[in-house]
């Protein structure tokens, strides 16, 4: 899981307990991992952005058998654990700064568990998407999931109904922003997350020239997969338009 540089201290603090933290959402994470494995290419070069402690990418790559895998993780504590857990090379960086590294191109690229919700503006998110696009081999796959502002399973049908009306009449990016205090081992850390509308994130995909191959919502508690986009968090499989 990826966080902005100004939140890295929180992820450094939780790095040793991150496995226990992620187990609280194991149904959701397992469903996402199964989708990732299903829609990934086998035996190809793979990039994982926001790798956290490296356990999930290790699980995924046991099934996809990449011939090379590179991890991107901005938290120093997480990056050290990811390297140990996965035995893959780890670069301490962010999606917005991929263009600063000579990392080549990849057939599979992942950004899992709301990586893009922790990039703080749509301008920076667009830059990150363009960087990812530039790192993709022809007919590559970019797979990600993000928090859904229109998730009726989590927020209720009535609340989401009114959110959709308001967002349709007058969309405002800042409505999806959530600033909160995260208590870890007795300390309080400031954190940030963004909840996307489907239209908002798909507009970013369009502006960065991606084509959507598959999209689902996944219930954040049960992990159930839905074709309707208002029943869970948003999951996408994208490609770079060449011979689709």
């Amino acid at each position: 899981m990826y966080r902005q540089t100004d939140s890295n201290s929180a992820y450094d603090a939780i790095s040793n307990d991150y496995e226990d933290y992620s187990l609280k959402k194991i149904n959701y994470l397992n469903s996402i991992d199964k989708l990732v494995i299903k829609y990934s290419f086998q035996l190809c070069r793979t990039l994982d952005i926001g790798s956290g402690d490296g356990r999930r990418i290790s699980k995924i790559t046991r099934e996809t058998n990449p011939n090379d895998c590179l991890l991107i993780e901005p938290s120093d504590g997480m990056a050290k654990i990811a390297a140990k857990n996965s035995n893959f090379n780890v670069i301490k960086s962010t999606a917005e700064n991929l263009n600063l590294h000579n990392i080549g191109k990849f057939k599979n690229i992942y950004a899992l568990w709301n990586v893009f919700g922790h990039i703080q503006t749509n301008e920076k998110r667009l830059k990150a998407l363009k960087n990812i696009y530039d790192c993709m081999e022809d007919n590559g796959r970019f797979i990600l999931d993000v928090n859904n502002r229109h998730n009726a399973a989590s927020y209720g049908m009535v609340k989401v109904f009114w959110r959709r009306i308001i967002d349709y009449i007058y969309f405002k990016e800042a409505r999806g922003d959530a600033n909160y205090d995260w208590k870890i081992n007795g300390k309080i850390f400031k954190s940030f997350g963004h909840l996307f509308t489907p239209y908002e994130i798909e507009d970013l995909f369009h502006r960065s020239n991606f084509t959507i191959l598959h999209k689902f919502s996944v219930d954040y508690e049960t992990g159930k997969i839905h074709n309707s986009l208002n029943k869970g968090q948003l999951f996408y499989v994208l490609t770079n338009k060449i011979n689709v």
Side-chain angles (χ1 to χ4, degrees), residues 149-150 162-176 197 199:
R149 176 172 158 78
H150 292 171
W162 287 111
R163 282 184 177 181
R164 291 178 71 177
I165 293 295
I166 292 168
D167 289 335
Y168 177 78
I169 295 171
Y170 175 55
F171 175 77
K172 189 176 181 181
E173 177 189 329
R175 283 199 202 96
T197 70
Y199 169 81

Side-chain angles (χ1 to χ4, degrees), residues 2 6 40 44 50 60 64-65 82 93 100 112 125 133 165-166 171 174 177 186 203-205 209 223:
Y2 164 102
D6 58 5
S40 292
C44 64
I60 290 166
T64 60
N65 299 304
S93 190
L100 302 180
L112 304 176
R125 293 167 201 139
Y133 189 95
I165 293 295
I166 292 168
F171 175 77
D177 291 345
D203 180 62
L204 287 170
F205 298 155
N209 292 322

Side-chain angles (χ1 to χ4, degrees), residues 213-244:
L213 292 178
H214 306 282
K215 57 183 175 180
F216 307 101
S217 67
V218 181
D219 190 288
Y220 204 42
E221 298 301 325
T222 68
K224 186 174 181 180
I225 300 165
H226 301 273
N227 289 318
S228 169
L229 295 186
N230 67 350
K231 295 185 177 181
Q233 310 291 48
L234 300 170
F235 174 88
Y236 291 94
V237 180
L238 310 178
T239 189
N240 52 350
K241 285 189 175 180
I242 299 174
N243 298 326
V244 175

